Amino acid sequence: MSFKNKVVIVTGSSSGIGASTAIEFAKEGAQVVLVGRNEAKLTNVREQCEKVGKKPLIVKADVSKDDDAKTIINKTIEHFGKLDVLVNNAGMGGWQDILKDGFMETYDRIMNINLRAPVYITHLAIPYLIKSKGNIINVSSVAGISTVGLEDSTPYCISKAGISHFSRSVALKLAPYGIRVNTVSPGPVYTDILANSSADEALFEQFKRDTALKRVSEPKEIADLILFLASDKAKGITGSDFVSDNGRLIK
């Protein structure tokens, strides 16, 4: 899969799935835009991209802030003059019991980052994607399909169900312009999002037991799926949700 001279934005690319996705796009010749809040981590990912491809553009931004969202798109166009692929990957988890105080604060924070931000960034990117007949990959989760074992992660589950349905809706709207929109829904993956949610090794072991294949995915597995969907090999695929969960849903 070649992405030579293609311009790709990957939000949440300072670590985990986003970082792995950015590196894989760089390997395939893409001009990558790294987006995240941690400049030190972004710099590390940029160095990894440079080793295998072209030097990426770093945009330090909080996707939940409208001005930062505008900056992501504006800097991309100023620097590269176009946009071919948008990967809305930035997200956060969080455990919060709906019966407890503080639930709505957690709900608002998660919804702003996981759902509102990709919707707004997509809105801003569409004029440029129309010109390139580009495509969008939204990173959702199996938590948007099944909430079994996630009853104290209601805001996260709602946000991921929302991003999956948003993807289907906008895929239909943008199809006449030649823009494809698809969703990737991972199961458990070894990423910072769980570490940042106070997860520990015992939880990862539980995740393994909860899957049919008794394993947790590495970020590159999800990155490979994202690249496939963004490539011409998937030119007939739009409005679809691809699950990569080691059989968690069927378990």
Side-chain angles (χ1 to χ4, degrees):
M1 294 179 288
S2 175
F3 289 91
K4 185 177 180 181
N5 298 322
K6 298 289 186 181
V7 177
V8 182
I9 292 175
V10 183
T11 68
S13 47
S14 59
S15 63
I17 292 170
S20 186
T21 299
I23 293 166
E24 294 306 310
F25 270 118
K27 286 180 183 177
E28 298 296 332
Q31 302 273 15
V32 182
V33 182
L34 303 176
V35 179
R37 291 178 293 183
N38 189 314
E39 194 165 3
K41 287 186 176 182
L42 288 172
T43 299
N44 177 264
V45 177
R46 181 178 65 188
E47 291 171 355
Q48 294 182 65
C49 289
E50 282 188 83
K51 291 178 182 177
V52 296
K54 299 172 182 176
K55 183 178 180 178
L57 170 68
I58 286 180
V59 180
K60 183 181 177 182
D62 179 344
V63 296
S64 68
K65 296 179 179 177
D66 285 3
D67 286 345
D68 284 16
K70 292 174 184 176
T71 296
I72 294 166
I73 301 301
N74 291 341
K75 284 193 174 182
T76 297
I77 301 305
E78 288 171 8
H79 194 82
F80 294 117
K82 65 170 185 169
L83 174 62
D84 297 284
V85 181
L86 170 62
V87 181
N88 284 310
N89 166 74
M92 66 170 290
W95 306 97
Q96 183 60 268
D97 186 340
I98 196 169
L99 301 176
K100 305 288 186 178
D101 292 339
F103 174 82
M104 289 310 301
E105 288 82 355
T106 300
Y107 176 87
D108 288 341
R109 185 168 66 254
I110 290 175
M111 292 296 284
N112 282 339
I113 293 174
N114 292 7
L115 183 55
R116 189 184 185 282
V119 169
Y120 186 50
I121 292 170
T122 296
H123 168 70
L124 296 172
I126 284 173
Y128 306 102
L129 292 171
I130 288 175
K131 292 178 181 178
S132 65
K133 293 190 183 299
N135 65 86
I136 302 166
I137 312 296
N138 292 318
V139 179
S140 184
S141 167
V142 292
I145 302 170
S146 172
T147 60
V148 174
L150 297 169
E151 61 273 11
D152 286 337
S153 194
T154 299
Y156 180 76
C157 295
I158 293 172
S159 72
K160 291 305 184 179
I163 198 65
S164 296
H165 203 54
F166 164 70
S167 300
R168 288 185 285 270
S169 176
V170 79
L172 186 60
K173 178 65 176 179
L174 298 181
Y177 300 97
I179 299 174
R180 297 186 297 107
V181 184
N182 290 292
T183 309
V184 171
S185 290
V189 181
Y190 287 113
T191 69
D192 284 358
I193 193 170
L194 288 173
N196 292 338
S197 300
S198 301
D200 56 23
E201 189 57 36
L203 183 58
F204 282 113
E205 290 302 317
Q206 180 61 52
F207 284 151
K208 290 179 183 179
R209 293 192 292 271
D210 288 344
T211 68
L213 296 178
K214 306 302 180 188
R215 66 186 298 274
V216 172
S217 292
E218 296 292 339
K220 185 179 180 302
E221 298 170 42
I222 311 304
D224 288 341
L225 182 52
I226 291 171
L227 262 71
F228 166 72
L229 290 172
S231 76
D232 288 341
K233 291 185 177 182
K235 61 185 177 183
I237 302 174
T238 195
S240 294
D241 188 349
F242 282 73
V243 172
S244 180
D245 70 344
N246 294 296
R248 185 186 186 280
L249 288 179
I250 60 172
K251 184 75 161 49

